[in-house]
Structures are given as structure tokens and as C-alpha cells.
Amino acid sequence: MTFEELEHTADVLVRVRAASINELFADAARALFSVMYGPCRDAGIVQRLTVEAGDPESLLHDFLSELLFIADVENVVLCRFELDVGEGSLSAVMHGEPFDPAKHAGGTIIKGISYSGLRIVKDDETYGVDVLFDV
Amino acid sequence: MIEGVKRAGLFEWEVPIGFVPGMRVPGRFFLSEDLGQTLEAGAVQQLANVATMPGIVGNSLAMPDIHWGYGFPIGGVAAFDMTEGVISPGGVGFDINCGVRLIASPLTGDDLAGTKRELIEEIFKAVPTGVGARSARTLSNKDLTGMMTDGVGWCVEHGFGLPSDLVHCEEQGRMEHADPDAVSAKARQRGLPQAGTLGAGNHFLEIQIAEEILDAPAAAAMGITEGQICFMIHCGSRGLGHQVCTDHLQILEKATKKYGISLPDRQLACAPVESPEGRSYFGAMACAANYAWANRQMITHEVRNVVAKTFGIADEDLPLVYDVAHNVAKYERHTVDGRERELCVHRKGATRAFGPGASDIPPVYEEIGQPVIIPGSMGTSSYLLRGTATAMERSFGSTCHGAGRVLSRTQAKKDITGKALREQLAKEGILVRAHSDSVLAEEAPGAYKPSNEVVRVVDRVGLSTLVARLEPQGVIKG
């Protein structure tokens, strides 16, 4: 795991650190699915997605919001993300498994991705972001 | 108390203008010394941030269950002028019309003896719960439109409720101005398979006993007597509401720039109440609110079916006491400085508490004020209160909504395991049924402020007054 859960009384606050912007977005996505469904394995489900937004934070926000939608309507749990994050847009190929109540129903529903405190920072060679999930 | 916050009364605190730059009005919150020990600086900062928003009227307010959220604090109440003011999804939250309802019954504790476990098991089977829960019914897009525009009315028309349920519900279970065209196809896609599901997290369905009557005439008006069994349902608008918030947050993010509004937190994204963007959000939010009322109504229908089958009693003997919203924005009329004005009132983790004689109260409650239902955390007391004239004067007719967390979910899981908690509650006679032990640990009573202290403060301040204390007998968690 390349993300950690920080203390937050009401919601779930995760801190992600990664060596590249692609990995940062992928780890944030993994954090989201981990909170929602717990363990996940790549069992042949593939989803593709493109997102456009005006700034890097909005791009991350909209990408994660889109994942909540996909999880809800496609009944899938995703765990491996091949991402190409560019200036103002991203494309993703995502792998996972079908939602299985016996395995995944005990997680925490994320209702939305908050803009509060959402800021991507880069120091030396590391990208970082704290993301607040409303649960 | 947090530096810069001033005492303004026995249970009242002021956050003066200047606490954060750009405040237009002071912040004000209600809290006892005991509750003050767990107050987060982040929550006060959020209360002050709300005070910077254009057109805010009176004070930026918070109830005694105030805690750190995103955008508005949880427990936050703010009213905005219809012309100069704004509307913000950050003042409502992702779970639009998350709320709670109470159903009375003719049963007593003795009736439950020997049948409680079976009853909980049957309700757990009948009401889809947990992450990924899907409706047992197949609804059409037309049905979904009906739920979004007519709320409980649609349910009653389609056999999921009694005509009296309509009366005993905030807004009669249907907000006006619902605009299905403002709801995206994505939100519809999420809402269609989730109608009548409880969800997960802090949502629950409880079998409770009226342990103590604190205001006999008001309890009598609500049909509650000591020793009576009741059913409490706490849930919201599911994926549909979450998507409406997400969609309109994106629209209002752009609108904030378009209208030249400067904000200290992006999550406060907003637009003038009467702007096309503001109206569109309100229309979509009203759809989600109506869907949430319909959702709780469909769950009520399932509970009535199970209870009727188990005990051989009619639906009419299981009347709805009342249903209140915790996360919503409303156009309401309030008297400010002696003048009646229409305002856009945001309540985020706060309950409407209209007093005697106020508008939108069913005739049966006209003299006592509207019922206010405050759910406890799992295994602790819930309370029935009533709205007051003081709330109309002090808090735009608002009061607290629940216990409010004091421990993070990670900390709660470190403190107790779900299994140990389930066994501990069973010893106290409280049976718990859930999909996961993990959610039980996260929602442990120790993770929340004591609900009795929160309601004591609102009762002492007069924002609502105590009517009855309800104790859990059986709990279904998502």
C-alpha cells in the first residue's frame, strides 16, 4: 500500500505519496476501492475511462468521482490502474473483479470526494496529496 | 475553548468577525463545557468560513453536535437572502436528505420476548443493507421520476404507504421545485436499483422501546407511551443523492468564478440562489430529497409487512410519528429583526425544529410544535423532542441532528473489535445484525459524543425540548 489513512473524526482522510503523477492518481484510486470494498484481485474485468478537467486537483477529483459512479453502476471492484495523466486530461485502463457481496459488502460507502484541502504538492521527486472521502 | 472564541452565554459561544478574513457576520454555536473538550479547531474554522459567504443573514450557526466536516461544519445552519445570497451543495452534503423517521406500534417489551431475534432476522432479510445493496424491486424510469417529483406521495399511490404517512412527514414527504431535468442520467442510473435500500456506514434500522416519557402531553400527541415498541429508520438518498451533489458541485465550481465569488474553501462552491445554476441545483437537490423520503417510505413498507406478519397487526396500527431531514436546503420564511423574509436555509447535520403554530406542521402537532427525532449512536439512547418558538427566534427553526463523532474510524477500530462490541451489546439485551464486524467497530458508541449531553444542551437553550427517551432493543446496520 502506498497510501495511509490519517485521523479524521467524521470522514476518511487518506495521504498518498508517489514518484510520478500517474502513480499518485493510481494510488488514490486504490485507496478509494480499498476503503469501499477491502481486498480486491485482478480477475479479468477491464474498464476504460477518460476524464477532462481544468486543473490537476479537479482532474483527480473528477477521476475519483467517476470511479464511484462506475463502481456503483457496473458492480465492479478495481485494483490495478494503468494511467496516462496529462495536462487537463487523463486516460485510464483499469482492472479488477466483479463485486461479490460475500467478499466486499463489509466496506465503507464513500458518498463523495471533497474539494476541502485537496492540493497536489511536489517536493524533490515526490508527488503528494491528501484526499478527504465523505463516508 | 479554542483561542479567539468568546463565551456568549451558559451554552453559547461566539466566533467574532475577523476570526478568518472576510467574515460578513459572526459565527455562533451552542455547546456545554463537557462537549467543548472534543471540539475540533477545524470545525470552528469551517463555521467561520461559512460566515464569509455572500448574503448570509444573522449568524453562521452550529448546533451542539458540531464537528469537523468539509465545506460547512457538520451541525451547521446558515440562512441566505434570496436576492443577495447564495446556495451551496457544501451546505447540504453528499447525502441529500439523510434523515430519520419513527414508527410507533401497539407492541410492548413483553411482546418482543422470544421473538426479537427472529424479528430482526426477518427485517434484515426484507430490507437490503450494506455496501452494494440492490433493491428487491424492478422500477422503471417513470417510477424513478415519480419518486423524485412526488416522494412519499408516489409511494402511497403505489401501495407502499398509508395516506396518513404523507401528513406525518416534513414537507409532507415532497419538496416543491423538484426538477427532474436537473438530475443527470448518471444519477438516475445509480438511483434506479437502490430504491428501498438502507445503505451502510452510520445508517441503521432500530427496534426501540420508549423507556422514559419526559413531556406527557407532547408524547400523547405523538402517540408515544412508556414501554411502547417503536421502529427508527435512518438513511438517505443513496447513490442518486451522492451523484446529484457531485454533478452540481462541478457546475457550481465554475459558477463561483463566473459570479466573482471569493471563497476560503473550494467545497463551499456556490451560486446566487436565483441564478440559473443555483435554481438548477435546488431543483436537483429537491429531487434527491424526495427520493430519500420515498426510500425511507419503501423501507417502512417492508418493516410493516414483517411486523404485521409476525404479530398479526394491521399497517394502520404502525403509524408514522414523523420523518425529518438532516441534510437539506429549503426556501423558508423567517422573521429577522422584526421583518418576515424569505430565506434559503441550509441545514447540514441539523434538524428543522419548527415551533407551535409554524407553517408546514400537521394539525395534530400544531399546538406542541413539530416532532424532532434525534438518533443515538448504536447501542445508546435516541430522543424524541419537539420544536420551539425559541428555535424560530434563535436558529431559523433548527436544532441538533445526532450524537456527532469524537473518534476517527481508524481509532474506533483500534479501541474495540466488532465481535467484542456485538457480545457486549448482547449482554445488555441489544441484538445487532450487520454485514460486517468492521462497520460495527467503526460505529461503536464510544466513537460518538454522548447523545444525552447533546440533547441536554438543546433542551436547556430551548432550541427544542425533550419529549421521550428511546432505548435500542435490536439494531440492523448496513
Side-chain angles (χ1 to χ4, degrees), chain B residues 304-324:
Chain B
R304 281 177 175 153
N305 280 349
V306 170
V307 177
K309 200 173 116 196
T310 309
F311 296 98
I313 51 179
D315 284 2
E316 285 75 9
D317 292 327
L318 297 162
L320 183 59
V321 176
Y322 208 57
D323 179 311
V324 291

Side-chain angles (χ1 to χ4, degrees), chain A residues 5 7-10 37 58 62 66 69 72 75 99 105-108 111-116 134-135, chain B residues 40 68 70-71 94-95 131 134 186 189-190 194 242 246 250 265-267 405-410 436 442:
Chain A
E5 198 173 329
E7 290 292 310
H8 192 282
T9 41
Y37 302 110
S58 295
D62 294 357
E66 205 61 29
F69 171 73
D72 220 11
N75 281 320
F99 173 79
T108 304
K111 297 170 179 169
I113 315 300
S114 173
Y115 278 114
S116 278
D134 178 20
V135 298
Chain B
E40 309 107 328
W68 185 26
Y70 50 88
F94 284 96
D95 198 359
V131 175
R134 290 286 180 271
K186 278 181 174 176
Q189 248 179 297
R190 293 178 74 174
Q194 293 181 351
H242 310 166
T246 298
Q250 288 177 353
D265 179 352
R266 278 181 88 176
Q267 191 67 30
R405 289 191 76 94
V406 287
L407 283 188
S408 69
R409 286 168 167 80
T410 41
S436 102
E442 287 178 11

Side-chain angles (χ1 to χ4, degrees), chain B residues 144-315:
Chain B
L144 185 62
T145 305
M147 289 175 77
M148 293 195 298
T149 52
D150 287 336
V152 176
W154 180 87
C155 292
V156 172
E157 247 177 57
H158 288 76
F160 299 120
L162 308 168
S164 59
D165 295 339
L166 281 170
V167 184
H168 290 166
C169 192
E170 186 170 328
E171 302 282 332
Q172 289 81 49
R174 174 190 178 271
M175 265 179 87
E176 287 181 16
H177 307 291
D179 176 10
D181 291 341
V183 176
S184 69
K186 278 181 174 176
R188 280 179 166 273
Q189 248 179 297
R190 293 178 74 174
L192 208 49
Q194 293 181 351
T197 62
L198 192 68
N202 65 347
H203 295 155
F204 67 73
L205 197 160
E206 272 189 6
I207 304 171
Q208 302 174 338
I209 188 160
E211 192 73 30
E212 188 181 10
I213 302 297
L214 300 149
D215 177 343
M222 296 181 198
I224 299 294
T225 53
E226 195 176 314
Q228 181 180 2
I229 296 296
C230 300
F231 298 86
M232 186 175 278
I233 298 168
H234 177 209
C235 63
S237 51
R238 311 285 285 111
L240 183 140
H242 310 166
Q243 191 68 43
V244 163
C245 182
T246 298
D247 293 341
H248 284 266
L249 209 51
Q250 288 177 353
I251 297 166
L252 293 184
E253 255 268 296
K254 294 187 181 84
T256 305
K257 294 184 190 96
K258 175 180 161 187
Y259 295 104
I261 301 166
S262 147
L263 295 169
D265 179 352
R266 278 181 88 176
Q267 191 67 30
L268 293 174
C270 59
V273 180
E274 303 275 22
S275 65
E277 295 89 346
R279 281 194 175 279
S280 175
Y281 169 64
F282 192 86
M285 183 213 64
C287 284
N290 292 342
Y291 175 89
W293 273 310
N295 193 34
R296 291 198 283 278
Q297 183 65 40
M298 290 171 85
I299 293 171
T300 303
H301 177 70
E302 299 299 348
V303 170
R304 281 177 175 153
N305 280 349
V306 170
V307 177
K309 200 173 116 196
T310 309
F311 296 98
I313 51 179
D315 284 2

